[in-house]
Amino acid sequence: VNDAANIPVWAKMTPNITDITNPGKVALDAGLEGLAAINTIQSVMGVNLDTLRPEPCVEGYSTPGGYSSKAVKPIALAKVMSLATMIKEKYNGGKTLSGIGGVETGNDAVEFMLLGCDTVQVCTGVMIHGYPLVQNLCAEVQEFMTQHDFKSID
């Protein structure tokens, strides 16, 4: 992939694995510039007790889906901490890490950055709360930086 790309390429890591650093090392050793973690967590949301089918069910069919939002944040933080440690030890910090999973506030974003993420991504939070979430998140990060006299997020 990287041979054909003219922009940086990151691999998005699944949390549905025992040791997330193994596929992370493979991706980075293959020449990718960074990792993004985590993807959604495989889940079944429940069973409809009237139809006796797993949810969600569409036209009688169901399959496990991806669980996201605030509930996955503790899992995401643990996984990015493992990846950040691996990147620091194996690549001397020369690769990037983007944190994903339950980010809805500036403090959420700061937690990911304090554990070693270079960037933070938001999807479900914006879907639920709308685009103003991003402006609020940025303002909260700036407020945190001022409180702690940080001049940079590096």
Side-chain angles (χ1 to χ4, degrees):
V1 172
N2 222 20
D3 290 341
N6 57 10
I7 58 173
V9 178
W10 291 350
K12 190 170 187 181
M13 300 286 102
T14 178
N16 303 308
I17 189 168
T18 303
D19 185 355
I20 197 168
T21 63
N22 288 333
K25 288 176 198 169
V26 170
L28 296 175
D29 285 345
L32 299 188
E33 286 77 18
L35 305 173
I38 62 173
N39 203 342
T40 56
I41 298 171
Q42 189 175 25
S43 61
V44 172
M45 298 308 294
V47 176
N48 183 313
L49 297 179
D50 293 324
T51 65
L52 311 179
R53 307 287 285 168
E55 293 289 346
C57 188
V58 178
E59 296 182 2
Y61 295 97
S62 181
T63 187
Y67 193 59
S68 64
S69 197
K70 295 295 280 183
V72 306
K73 183 179 151 200
I75 297 162
L77 289 172
K79 298 294 186 178
V80 299
M81 188 168 79
S82 295
L83 289 168
T85 300
M86 178 270 293
I87 289 170
K88 184 177 180 181
E89 291 174 356
K90 185 168 171 57
Y91 304 96
N92 295 320
K95 301 289 185 171
T96 58
L97 177 60
S98 187
I100 311 166
V103 178
E104 292 187 5
T105 69
N107 287 342
D108 293 334
V110 167
E111 289 181 70
F112 278 87
M113 290 184 280
L114 290 172
L115 291 176
C117 292
D118 302 289
T119 64
V120 177
Q121 298 180 40
V122 180
C123 180
T124 306
V126 171
M127 291 168 50
I128 294 169
H129 303 290
Y131 290 111
L133 177 138
V134 177
Q135 290 175 322
N136 295 337
L137 187 148
C138 290
E140 291 167 2
V141 169
Q142 289 175 335
E143 182 179 314
F144 174 86
M145 291 174 64
T146 299
Q147 287 174 350
H148 293 275
D149 199 30
F150 290 168
K151 304 296 181 213
S152 168
I153 60 171
D154 292 333

